[in-house]
Short mmCIF file of all heavy atoms in Angstrom, two decimals:
data_model
loop_
_atom_site.label_atom_id
_atom_site.label_comp_id
_atom_site.label_asym_id
_atom_site.label_seq_id
_atom_site.Cartn_x
_atom_site.Cartn_y
_atom_site.Cartn_z
N LYS A 57 -0.01 3.49 12.94
CA LYS A 57 0.43 4.88 12.94
C LYS A 57 -0.59 5.81 12.27
O LYS A 57 -0.87 6.91 12.74
CB LYS A 57 1.78 5.03 12.22
CG LYS A 57 2.94 4.43 13.02
CD LYS A 57 4.23 4.59 12.20
CE LYS A 57 5.41 3.94 12.95
NZ LYS A 57 6.69 4.05 12.20
N ILE A 58 -1.16 5.33 11.17
CA ILE A 58 -2.15 6.14 10.46
C ILE A 58 -3.39 6.33 11.29
O ILE A 58 -3.95 7.42 11.44
CB ILE A 58 -2.50 5.46 9.11
CG1 ILE A 58 -1.27 5.49 8.17
CG2 ILE A 58 -3.68 6.18 8.46
CD1 ILE A 58 -1.50 4.72 6.91
N VAL A 61 -3.29 8.94 14.05
CA VAL A 61 -3.52 10.31 13.61
C VAL A 61 -4.96 10.50 13.16
O VAL A 61 -5.59 11.52 13.46
CB VAL A 61 -2.54 10.67 12.48
CG1 VAL A 61 -2.74 12.11 12.02
CG2 VAL A 61 -1.09 10.43 12.92
N ILE A 87 -3.32 19.67 12.50
CA ILE A 87 -2.57 18.40 12.44
C ILE A 87 -2.38 18.01 10.98
O ILE A 87 -3.30 18.11 10.17
CB ILE A 87 -3.26 17.30 13.22
CG1 ILE A 87 -2.39 16.05 13.29
CG2 ILE A 87 -4.63 16.96 12.66
CD1 ILE A 87 -2.81 15.03 14.31
N GLY A 88 -1.20 17.59 10.66
CA GLY A 88 -0.91 17.12 9.31
C GLY A 88 -0.21 15.76 9.38
O GLY A 88 0.48 15.49 10.37
N ILE A 89 -0.40 14.96 8.40
CA ILE A 89 0.25 13.66 8.30
C ILE A 89 0.87 13.56 6.91
O ILE A 89 0.24 13.86 5.91
CB ILE A 89 -0.75 12.52 8.57
CG1 ILE A 89 -0.02 11.14 8.48
CG2 ILE A 89 -1.94 12.55 7.63
CD1 ILE A 89 -0.92 9.99 8.91
N ASN A 90 2.13 13.14 6.87
CA ASN A 90 2.86 12.97 5.62
C ASN A 90 3.10 11.50 5.38
O ASN A 90 3.74 10.82 6.21
CB ASN A 90 4.16 13.75 5.68
CG ASN A 90 4.98 13.53 4.42
OD1 ASN A 90 4.45 13.53 3.32
ND2 ASN A 90 6.30 13.37 4.58
N LEU A 91 2.62 10.98 4.28
CA LEU A 91 2.79 9.60 3.91
C LEU A 91 3.91 9.54 2.86
O LEU A 91 3.75 10.13 1.78
CB LEU A 91 1.49 9.03 3.32
CG LEU A 91 0.18 9.39 4.11
CD1 LEU A 91 -1.02 8.83 3.37
CD2 LEU A 91 0.26 8.84 5.51
N ILE A 106 -8.26 7.26 5.02
CA ILE A 106 -8.34 8.14 6.20
C ILE A 106 -9.60 9.00 6.14
O ILE A 106 -10.31 9.12 7.13
CB ILE A 106 -7.07 9.03 6.30
CG1 ILE A 106 -5.84 8.22 6.62
CG2 ILE A 106 -7.25 10.16 7.34
CD1 ILE A 106 -4.52 8.97 6.50
N PHE A 189 -7.41 18.96 9.51
CA PHE A 189 -6.59 17.85 9.07
C PHE A 189 -6.08 18.05 7.64
O PHE A 189 -6.85 18.37 6.75
CB PHE A 189 -7.43 16.58 9.15
CG PHE A 189 -6.66 15.30 9.26
CD1 PHE A 189 -6.49 14.68 10.48
CD2 PHE A 189 -6.13 14.70 8.15
CE1 PHE A 189 -5.76 13.51 10.59
CE2 PHE A 189 -5.44 13.52 8.21
CZ PHE A 189 -5.26 12.92 9.45
N VAL A 190 -4.78 17.87 7.41
CA VAL A 190 -4.19 17.94 6.07
C VAL A 190 -3.32 16.69 5.86
O VAL A 190 -2.55 16.31 6.76
CB VAL A 190 -3.35 19.21 5.84
CG1 VAL A 190 -2.86 19.26 4.39
CG2 VAL A 190 -4.11 20.45 6.21
N ILE A 191 -3.46 16.10 4.68
CA ILE A 191 -2.65 14.90 4.35
C ILE A 191 -1.73 15.25 3.21
O ILE A 191 -2.13 15.92 2.24
CB ILE A 191 -3.55 13.71 3.94
CG1 ILE A 191 -4.59 13.44 4.99
CG2 ILE A 191 -2.70 12.49 3.67
CD1 ILE A 191 -5.60 12.36 4.56
N PHE A 192 -0.48 14.81 3.31
CA PHE A 192 0.50 14.97 2.24
C PHE A 192 1.02 13.57 1.85
O PHE A 192 1.06 12.67 2.69
CB PHE A 192 1.68 15.82 2.70
CG PHE A 192 1.30 17.18 3.20
CD1 PHE A 192 1.06 17.40 4.56
CD2 PHE A 192 1.18 18.26 2.32
CE1 PHE A 192 0.71 18.64 5.03
CE2 PHE A 192 0.80 19.51 2.80
CZ PHE A 192 0.59 19.71 4.14
N ILE A 208 4.42 19.58 10.05
CA ILE A 208 3.64 18.36 9.84
C ILE A 208 3.80 17.49 11.05
O ILE A 208 4.91 17.13 11.42
CB ILE A 208 4.06 17.65 8.56
CG1 ILE A 208 3.86 18.54 7.33
CG2 ILE A 208 3.30 16.33 8.39
CD1 ILE A 208 4.42 17.96 6.05
N THR A 210 2.98 14.33 11.90
CA THR A 210 3.38 12.95 11.85
C THR A 210 3.85 12.56 10.45
O THR A 210 3.22 12.95 9.46
CB THR A 210 2.21 12.02 12.25
OG1 THR A 210 1.74 12.41 13.54
CG2 THR A 210 2.64 10.58 12.27
N VAL A 212 4.76 9.16 8.20
CA VAL A 212 4.63 7.71 8.21
C VAL A 212 5.25 7.14 6.95
O VAL A 212 4.86 7.51 5.81
CB VAL A 212 3.15 7.30 8.28
CG1 VAL A 212 3.02 5.78 8.26
CG2 VAL A 212 2.49 7.89 9.50
#
Side-chain angles (χ1 to χ4, degrees):
K57 289 179 181 178
I58 293 173
V61 182
I87 186 166
I89 180 172
N90 177 42
L91 315 176
I106 291 170
F189 202 98
V190 184
I191 306 173
F192 303 93
I208 298 173
T210 304
V212 180

